[in-house]
Coordinates of all heavy atoms in Angstrom, one line a residue:
M20 N 20.4 -80.3 19.1 CA 21.4 -79.4 19.7 C 22.4 -78.9 18.7 O 22.7 -77.8 18.7 CB 22.2 -80.3 20.8 CG 23.3 -79.5 21.4 SD 22.6 -78.3 22.5 CE 24.0 -77.9 23.5
E21 N 22.7 -79.8 17.8 CA 23.6 -79.4 16.7 C 23.0 -78.4 15.7 O 23.6 -77.5 15.2 CB 24.1 -80.7 15.8 CG 25.4 -80.5 15.1 CD 25.9 -81.8 14.6 OE1 26.1 -82.7 15.4 OE2 26.1 -81.9 13.4
Q22 N 21.7 -78.5 15.5 CA 20.9 -77.6 14.7 C 20.9 -76.2 15.3 O 21.1 -75.2 14.6 CB 19.5 -78.1 14.4 CG 18.6 -77.2 13.6 CD 19.2 -77.0 12.2 OE1 19.9 -77.9 11.6 NE2 19.0 -75.9 11.6
K23 N 20.8 -76.2 16.6 CA 20.7 -74.9 17.4 C 22.1 -74.2 17.3 O 22.2 -73.0 17.0 CB 20.4 -75.1 18.8 CG 18.9 -75.3 19.1 CD 18.6 -75.4 20.5 CE 17.2 -75.7 20.7 NZ 16.8 -75.8 22.2
L24 N 23.2 -75.0 17.3 CA 24.5 -74.4 17.2 C 24.7 -73.9 15.8 O 25.3 -72.8 15.6 CB 25.5 -75.5 17.6 CG 27.0 -75.0 17.6 CD1 27.1 -73.9 18.7 CD2 27.9 -76.2 18.0
A25 N 24.3 -74.6 14.8 CA 24.4 -74.1 13.4 C 23.6 -72.9 13.2 O 24.1 -72.0 12.5 CB 23.9 -75.2 12.4
D26 N 22.4 -72.8 13.7 CA 21.6 -71.6 13.6 C 22.3 -70.4 14.3 O 22.3 -69.3 13.8 CB 20.2 -71.8 14.3 CG 19.3 -72.8 13.4 OD1 19.7 -73.0 12.2 OD2 18.3 -73.3 14.0
L27 N 22.8 -70.7 15.5 CA 23.5 -69.6 16.2 C 24.7 -69.1 15.4 O 24.9 -67.9 15.3 CB 23.9 -70.1 17.6 CG 24.5 -69.1 18.5 CD1 23.6 -68.0 18.8 CD2 24.9 -69.8 19.8
N28 N 25.5 -70.0 14.8 CA 26.6 -69.6 14.0 C 26.2 -68.8 12.8 O 26.8 -67.8 12.5 CB 27.4 -70.8 13.6 CG 28.3 -71.4 14.7 OD1 28.7 -70.7 15.6 ND2 28.6 -72.7 14.5
A29 N 25.1 -69.2 12.2 CA 24.6 -68.4 11.0 C 24.2 -67.0 11.4 O 24.4 -66.1 10.7 CB 23.4 -69.2 10.4
R30 N 23.6 -66.9 12.6 CA 23.1 -65.6 13.1 C 24.3 -64.7 13.4 O 24.3 -63.5 13.1 CB 22.3 -65.8 14.3 CG 20.8 -66.3 14.0 CD 20.0 -66.5 15.3 NE 19.7 -65.2 15.9 CZ 19.2 -65.0 17.0 NH1 18.9 -66.1 17.8 NH2 19.0 -63.9 17.5
V31 N 25.4 -65.3 14.0 CA 26.6 -64.6 14.3 C 27.3 -64.1 13.0 O 27.7 -62.9 12.9 CB 27.5 -65.4 15.2 CG1 28.9 -64.7 15.3 CG2 27.0 -65.6 16.6
E32 N 27.3 -65.0 12.0 CA 27.9 -64.6 10.8 C 27.1 -63.4 10.1 O 27.7 -62.5 9.5 CB 28.0 -65.8 9.8 CG 29.1 -66.8 10.3 CD 29.2 -68.0 9.3 OE1 28.5 -68.0 8.3 OE2 29.8 -69.0 9.7
E33 N 25.8 -63.6 10.2 CA 24.9 -62.5 9.6 C 25.2 -61.2 10.4 O 25.3 -60.1 9.7 CB 23.5 -62.9 9.7 CG 22.5 -61.8 9.2 CD 22.6 -61.5 7.7 OE1 23.1 -62.4 6.9 OE2 22.2 -60.4 7.4
L34 N 25.3 -61.2 11.6 CA 25.5 -60.0 12.4 C 26.9 -59.4 12.1 O 27.1 -58.1 12.0 CB 25.4 -60.3 13.9 CG 24.0 -60.5 14.4 CD1 24.0 -60.9 15.9 CD2 23.2 -59.2 14.2
E35 N 27.9 -60.3 12.0 CA 29.3 -59.8 11.6 C 29.3 -59.2 10.2 O 29.9 -58.2 10.0 CB 30.3 -61.0 11.7 CG 30.6 -61.4 13.1 CD 31.5 -62.6 13.2 OE1 31.6 -63.4 12.1 OE2 32.1 -62.9 14.2
S36 N 28.6 -59.7 9.3 CA 28.4 -59.2 7.9 C 27.8 -57.8 8.0 O 28.2 -56.9 7.3 CB 27.7 -60.1 7.1 OG 27.5 -59.6 5.8
R37 N 26.7 -57.7 8.7 CA 26.0 -56.4 8.8 C 26.9 -55.4 9.5 O 26.9 -54.2 9.1 CB 24.8 -56.6 9.6 CG 23.6 -57.3 8.9 CD 22.4 -57.3 9.8 NE 21.3 -58.0 9.1 CZ 20.1 -58.0 9.5 NH1 19.7 -57.3 10.5 NH2 19.2 -58.8 8.8
L38 N 27.6 -55.8 10.5 CA 28.5 -54.8 11.2 C 29.6 -54.4 10.3 O 29.9 -53.1 10.2 CB 29.2 -55.5 12.4 CG 30.2 -54.7 13.2 CD1 29.5 -53.4 13.8 CD2 30.8 -55.5 14.3
A39 N 30.2 -55.2 9.5 CA 31.2 -54.8 8.5 C 30.6 -53.9 7.5 O 31.3 -52.8 7.2 CB 31.8 -56.0 7.8
F40 N 29.5 -54.1 7.0 CA 28.8 -53.2 6.0 C 28.5 -51.8 6.7 O 28.8 -50.8 6.1 CB 27.5 -53.8 5.6 CG 26.7 -52.9 4.6 CD1 27.2 -52.7 3.3 CD2 25.6 -52.3 5.1 CE1 26.5 -51.9 2.4 CE2 24.9 -51.4 4.2 CZ 25.3 -51.3 2.9
Q41 N 28.1 -51.8 7.9 CA 27.8 -50.6 8.6 C 29.1 -49.8 8.9 O 29.0 -48.6 8.7 CB 27.0 -50.8 9.9 CG 25.6 -51.3 9.7 CD 24.9 -51.6 11.0 OE1 25.5 -51.6 12.1 NE2 23.6 -51.8 10.9
E42 N 30.1 -50.4 9.3 CA 31.4 -49.8 9.4 C 31.9 -49.1 8.2 O 32.4 -48.0 8.1 CB 32.5 -50.7 10.0 CG 32.2 -51.1 11.4 CD 33.2 -52.1 11.9 OE1 33.9 -52.8 11.1 OE2 33.3 -52.3 13.2
D43 N 31.7 -49.9 7.1 CA 32.2 -49.3 5.8 C 31.3 -48.1 5.4 O 31.8 -47.1 4.9 CB 32.0 -50.4 4.7 CG 32.5 -49.9 3.3 OD1 33.6 -49.3 3.2 OD2 31.7 -50.0 2.3
T44 N 30.0 -48.2 5.6 CA 29.1 -47.1 5.4 C 29.4 -45.9 6.2 O 29.4 -44.7 5.7 CB 27.6 -47.5 5.5 OG1 27.3 -48.6 4.7 CG2 26.7 -46.4 5.3
L45 N 29.7 -46.1 7.4 CA 30.1 -45.0 8.3 C 31.4 -44.3 7.9 O 31.5 -43.1 7.9 CB 30.2 -45.5 9.8 CG 29.0 -45.8 10.5 CD1 29.2 -46.4 11.9 CD2 28.1 -44.4 10.7
A46 N 32.4 -45.1 7.4 CA 33.6 -44.5 7.0 C 33.4 -43.7 5.7 O 33.9 -42.6 5.6 CB 34.6 -45.6 6.7
Q47 N 32.5 -44.1 4.8 CA 32.2 -43.4 3.6 C 31.4 -42.1 4.0 O 31.7 -41.0 3.4 CB 31.3 -44.2 2.7 CG 32.0 -45.3 2.0 CD 31.1 -46.2 1.2 OE1 30.0 -45.8 0.9 NE2 31.6 -47.3 0.7
L48 N 30.5 -42.2 4.9 CA 29.8 -41.0 5.3 C 30.7 -40.0 6.1 O 30.6 -38.7 5.8 CB 28.6 -41.3 6.3 CG 27.5 -42.0 5.6 CD1 26.5 -42.5 6.7 CD2 26.7 -41.2 4.6
N49 N 31.7 -40.5 6.8 CA 32.6 -39.6 7.4 C 33.4 -38.8 6.4 O 33.7 -37.7 6.5 CB 33.5 -40.4 8.4 CG 34.4 -39.5 9.2 OD1 33.9 -38.5 9.8 ND2 35.7 -39.9 9.3
D50 N 33.9 -39.5 5.3 CA 34.6 -38.8 4.3 C 33.8 -37.8 3.6 O 34.3 -36.7 3.3 CB 35.1 -39.9 3.3 CG 36.1 -40.9 3.8 OD1 36.7 -40.6 4.8 OD2 36.3 -41.9 3.2
V51 N 32.5 -38.1 3.3 CA 31.6 -37.1 2.7 C 31.5 -35.8 3.6 O 31.6 -34.7 3.2 CB 30.3 -37.7 2.4 CG1 29.3 -36.6 2.0 CG2 30.4 -38.7 1.3
I52 N 31.3 -36.1 4.9 CA 31.1 -35.0 5.9 C 32.4 -34.2 6.0 O 32.3 -32.9 6.0 CB 30.7 -35.5 7.3 CG1 29.3 -36.0 7.2 CG2 30.8 -34.5 8.3 CD1 28.8 -36.8 8.4
A53 N 33.5 -34.8 6.0 CA 34.8 -34.1 6.1 C 35.0 -33.2 4.8 O 35.4 -32.0 4.8 CB 36.0 -35.0 6.2
T54 N 34.6 -33.7 3.6 CA 34.7 -32.9 2.4 C 33.7 -31.8 2.4 O 34.1 -30.6 2.1 CB 34.4 -33.8 1.2 OG1 35.4 -34.9 1.2 CG2 34.5 -33.1 -0.1
Q55 N 32.5 -32.0 2.8 CA 31.5 -30.9 2.9 C 32.0 -29.9 3.9 O 31.8 -28.6 3.7 CB 30.2 -31.5 3.3 CG 29.5 -32.3 2.2 CD 28.2 -32.9 2.6 OE1 27.9 -33.0 3.8 NE2 27.4 -33.2 1.7
D56 N 32.5 -30.3 5.0 CA 33.0 -29.3 6.0 C 34.1 -28.4 5.5 O 34.0 -27.2 5.7 CB 33.5 -30.0 7.3 CG 34.0 -29.1 8.4 OD1 33.2 -28.3 8.8 OD2 35.2 -29.1 8.7
A57 N 35.0 -29.0 4.7 CA 36.1 -28.2 4.1 C 35.5 -27.3 3.1 O 35.9 -26.1 3.0 CB 37.1 -29.1 3.4
N58 N 34.5 -27.7 2.3 CA 33.8 -26.8 1.3 C 33.1 -25.7 2.0 O 33.2 -24.5 1.5 CB 32.9 -27.7 0.4 CG 33.6 -28.6 -0.6 OD1 34.8 -28.3 -0.8 ND2 32.9 -29.6 -1.0
I59 N 32.4 -26.0 3.0 CA 31.6 -25.0 3.7 C 32.6 -23.9 4.3 O 32.4 -22.7 4.3 CB 30.8 -25.6 4.8 CG1 29.6 -26.3 4.2 CG2 30.2 -24.5 5.8 CD1 28.8 -27.2 5.1
R60 N 33.7 -24.4 4.9 CA 34.7 -23.4 5.5 C 35.2 -22.5 4.4 O 35.4 -21.3 4.6 CB 35.8 -24.2 6.2 CG 35.3 -24.8 7.5 CD 36.5 -25.6 8.2 NE 36.0 -26.3 9.3 CZ 36.0 -25.9 10.5 NH1 36.4 -24.6 10.8 NH2 35.5 -26.6 11.5
A61 N 35.5 -23.1 3.2 CA 36.0 -22.3 2.1 C 35.0 -21.3 1.6 O 35.3 -20.1 1.4 CB 36.5 -23.2 1.0
L62 N 33.7 -21.7 1.6 CA 32.7 -20.8 1.1 C 32.4 -19.7 2.1 O 32.2 -18.6 1.7 CB 31.4 -21.6 0.9 CG 31.4 -22.5 -0.4 CD1 30.2 -23.4 -0.3 CD2 31.4 -21.7 -1.6
V63 N 32.5 -20.0 3.4 CA 32.3 -19.0 4.4 C 33.4 -17.9 4.4 O 33.2 -16.7 4.4 CB 32.2 -19.6 5.8 CG1 32.3 -18.6 6.9 CG2 30.9 -20.4 6.0
A64 N 34.6 -18.4 4.2 CA 35.8 -17.5 4.0 C 35.6 -16.6 2.8 O 35.8 -15.4 2.9 CB 37.1 -18.2 4.0
H65 N 35.1 -17.2 1.7 CA 34.9 -16.4 0.5 C 33.8 -15.4 0.6 O 33.9 -14.2 0.2 CB 34.6 -17.4 -0.7 CG 34.6 -16.7 -2.0 ND1 35.7 -16.1 -2.6 CD2 33.6 -16.6 -2.9 CE1 35.3 -15.6 -3.8 NE2 34.1 -15.9 -4.0
L66 N 32.7 -15.8 1.3 CA 31.6 -14.9 1.6 C 32.0 -13.7 2.4 O 31.6 -12.6 2.2 CB 30.5 -15.7 2.2 CG 29.2 -14.9 2.5 CD1 28.6 -14.4 1.2 CD2 28.2 -15.8 3.2
R67 N 32.8 -14.0 3.4 CA 33.3 -12.9 4.3 C 34.1 -11.9 3.5 O 34.0 -10.7 3.6 CB 34.1 -13.4 5.4 CG 33.3 -14.0 6.5 CD 34.1 -14.4 7.7 NE 33.3 -15.0 8.7 CZ 33.6 -16.1 9.4 NH1 34.7 -16.8 9.2 NH2 32.8 -16.6 10.3
E68 N 35.0 -12.4 2.6 CA 35.8 -11.6 1.8 C 34.9 -10.8 0.8 O 35.2 -9.5 0.7 CB 36.7 -12.5 0.9 CG 37.8 -11.8 0.1 CD 38.6 -12.8 -0.7 OE1 39.1 -13.7 -0.1 OE2 38.9 -12.5 -1.9
L69 N 34.0 -11.4 0.2 CA 33.0 -10.6 -0.6 C 32.2 -9.6 0.2 O 32.0 -8.4 -0.3 CB 32.0 -11.6 -1.3 CG 32.6 -12.4 -2.4 CD1 31.6 -13.4 -2.9 CD2 33.1 -11.6 -3.5
A70 N 31.8 -9.9 1.4 CA 31.1 -8.9 2.2 C 32.0 -7.7 2.6 O 31.5 -6.6 2.5 CB 30.6 -9.6 3.5
D71 N 33.3 -8.0 2.8 CA 34.2 -6.9 3.1 C 34.3 -6.0 1.9 O 34.4 -4.8 2.0 CB 35.6 -7.4 3.5 CG 35.5 -8.1 5.0 OD1 34.6 -7.8 5.7 OD2 36.5 -8.8 5.2
K72 N 34.5 -6.6 0.7 CA 34.6 -5.8 -0.5 C 33.4 -5.0 -0.8 O 33.4 -3.9 -1.2 CB 34.9 -6.8 -1.7 CG 36.3 -7.3 -1.7 CD 36.6 -8.2 -2.9 CE 38.0 -8.8 -2.9 NZ 38.2 -9.7 -4.0
Y73 N 32.2 -5.6 -0.6 CA 30.9 -5.0 -0.8 C 30.9 -3.7 0.2 O 30.4 -2.6 -0.2 CB 29.8 -5.9 -0.6 CG 28.4 -5.2 -0.6 CD1 27.9 -4.8 -1.9 CD2 27.7 -4.9 0.5 CE1 26.7 -4.2 -1.9 CE2 26.5 -4.2 0.5 CZ 26.0 -4.0 -0.7 OH 24.8 -3.3 -0.8
R74 N 31.2 -3.9 1.4 CA 31.2 -2.8 2.4 C 32.1 -1.7 2.0 O 31.7 -0.5 2.1 CB 31.6 -3.4 3.8 CG 31.2 -2.5 4.9 CD 31.6 -3.1 6.3 NE 31.0 -4.5 6.4 CZ 31.8 -5.6 6.5 NH1 33.1 -5.5 6.5 NH2 31.2 -6.8 6.7
D75 N 33.3 -2.0 1.5 CA 34.2 -1.0 1.0 C 33.7 -0.2 -0.2 O 33.7 1.0 -0.2 CB 35.6 -1.6 0.7 CG 36.3 -2.2 2.0 OD1 36.0 -1.8 3.1 OD2 37.2 -3.0 1.7
L76 N 33.1 -1.0 -1.1 CA 32.6 -0.3 -2.3 C 31.4 0.5 -1.9 O 31.2 1.7 -2.5 CB 32.1 -1.3 -3.4 CG 33.3 -2.0 -4.1 CD1 32.8 -3.2 -4.9 CD2 34.0 -1.1 -4.9
S77 N 30.5 0.1 -1.0 CA 29.4 0.8 -0.6 C 29.8 2.1 0.1 O 29.2 3.2 -0.2 CB 28.5 0.0 0.4 OG 27.9 -1.0 -0.3
S78 N 30.9 2.0 0.9 CA 31.4 3.2 1.6 C 31.9 4.2 0.5 O 31.7 5.4 0.7 CB 32.4 2.8 2.5 OG 33.0 3.9 3.1
E79 N 32.6 3.7 -0.5 CA 33.2 4.6 -1.5 C 32.1 5.3 -2.3 O 32.2 6.5 -2.6 CB 34.1 3.8 -2.4 CG 35.4 3.4 -1.8 CD 36.2 2.6 -2.8 OE1 36.0 2.6 -4.0 OE2 37.2 1.9 -2.3
M80 N 31.0 4.6 -2.6 CA 30.0 5.1 -3.4 C 29.1 6.2 -2.6 O 28.6 7.1 -3.2 CB 29.0 4.0 -3.9 CG 29.7 3.1 -4.9 SD 28.7 2.0 -5.8 CE 27.8 3.1 -6.8
R81 N 29.1 6.1 -1.3 CA 28.4 7.0 -0.5 C 29.2 8.2 -0.2 O 28.8 9.2 0.5 CB 27.9 6.4 0.8 CG 26.7 5.5 0.7 CD 26.2 5.1 2.0 NE 27.2 4.3 2.6 CZ 26.9 3.0 3.1 NH1 25.7 2.6 3.0 NH2 27.9 2.3 3.6
G82 N 30.5 8.2 -0.5 CA 31.4 9.3 -0.2 C 31.8 9.2 1.2 O 31.8 10.2 1.9
G83 N 32.4 8.1 1.5 CA 32.8 7.8 2.8 C 34.1 8.6 3.2 O 34.4 9.7 2.6
P84 N 34.9 8.1 4.1 CA 36.1 8.7 4.6 C 37.1 9.2 3.6 O 37.8 10.1 3.7 CB 36.7 7.8 5.6 CG 35.6 6.8 5.9 CD 34.7 6.8 4.8
G85 N 37.1 8.5 2.4 CA 38.0 8.8 1.4 C 37.5 10.0 0.4 O 38.1 10.2 -0.6
D86 N 36.6 10.7 0.8 CA 36.0 11.8 0.0 C 37.0 12.9 -0.1 O 37.8 13.2 0.7 CB 34.7 12.3 0.7 CG 33.7 12.9 -0.3 OD1 34.1 13.0 -1.5 OD2 32.6 13.3 0.1
D87 N 36.9 13.6 -1.3 CA 37.9 14.7 -1.6 C 37.4 16.0 -1.0 O 38.2 17.0 -1.1 CB 38.1 14.8 -3.1 CG 38.8 13.6 -3.7 OD1 39.5 13.0 -3.0 OD2 38.6 13.4 -5.0
E88 N 36.3 16.2 -0.5 CA 35.9 17.5 0.1 C 36.6 17.8 1.4 O 37.0 16.9 2.1 CB 34.4 17.4 0.4 CG 33.5 17.2 -0.7 CD 32.0 17.2 -0.4 OE1 31.7 17.6 0.7 OE2 31.2 16.5 -1.1
P89 N 36.9 19.1 1.6 CA 37.6 19.4 2.8 C 36.7 19.2 4.0 O 35.5 19.3 3.9 CB 38.0 20.8 2.6 CG 37.0 21.4 1.6 CD 36.6 20.2 0.8
P90 N 37.2 19.0 5.1 CA 36.5 18.8 6.4 C 35.6 20.1 6.7 O 36.0 21.2 6.2 CB 37.5 18.6 7.5 CG 38.8 18.4 6.8 CD 38.7 18.8 5.4
P91 N 34.6 20.0 7.4 CA 33.7 21.1 7.6 C 34.3 22.3 8.4 O 33.8 23.4 8.3 CB 32.5 20.6 8.5 CG 32.8 19.1 8.7 CD 34.0 18.8 8.0
H92 N 35.4 22.1 9.1 CA 36.0 23.2 9.9 C 36.8 24.1 9.1 O 37.4 25.0 9.6 CB 36.7 22.6 11.2 CG 37.9 21.7 10.8 ND1 37.8 20.4 10.5 CD2 39.2 22.1 10.7 CE1 39.0 19.9 10.2 NE2 39.9 20.9 10.3
Y93 N 37.0 23.9 7.8 CA 37.8 24.8 7.0 C 37.0 25.9 6.5 O 36.0 26.0 6.0 CB 38.4 24.0 5.7 CG 39.6 23.3 6.1 CD1 39.6 21.9 6.4 CD2 40.8 23.9 6.2 CE1 40.8 21.2 6.7 CE2 42.0 23.2 6.4 CZ 42.0 21.9 6.7 OH 43.2 21.2 7.0

């Protein structure tokens, strides 16, 4: 009976140790995910900004609304 109790205590300690390790691992993974999320959001914002600039430059190169020619009704 005493041996079974010692075995049970050893198993509980092993499970508690594993749980603590898993909790630490989850906390580390959460930090990594939060950092990656912030980086992705910054990159998406930068990409949108670049896309807007590209669109503006493309429009200027094609002779868009800012063209110096008079309108056709003149």
Side-chain angles (χ1 to χ4, degrees):
M20 178 73 163
E21 204 168 301
Q22 180 62 30
K23 285 184 179 182
L24 188 57
D26 289 344
L27 186 59
N28 281 337
R30 288 179 65 192
V31 168
E32 287 178 12
E33 175 66 24
L34 289 172
E35 288 175 342
S36 176
R37 286 184 184 191
L38 178 63
F40 178 74
Q41 288 177 354
E42 287 175 343
D43 183 53
T44 301
L45 284 174
Q47 290 176 10
L48 289 172
N49 187 46
D50 292 343
V51 169
I52 290 171
T54 301
Q55 287 178 343
D56 181 59
N58 289 340
I59 289 170
R60 288 177 188 270
L62 288 171
V63 167
H65 189 64
L66 182 61
R67 285 187 181 135
E68 187 178 315
L69 288 174
D71 290 343
K72 288 181 181 180
Y73 175 77
R74 196 175 310 113
D75 292 344
L76 286 173
S77 293
S78 176
E79 286 178 22
M80 292 190 72
R81 282 189 292 235
D86 207 355
D87 289 339
E88 294 181 24
H92 63 277
Y93 276 98

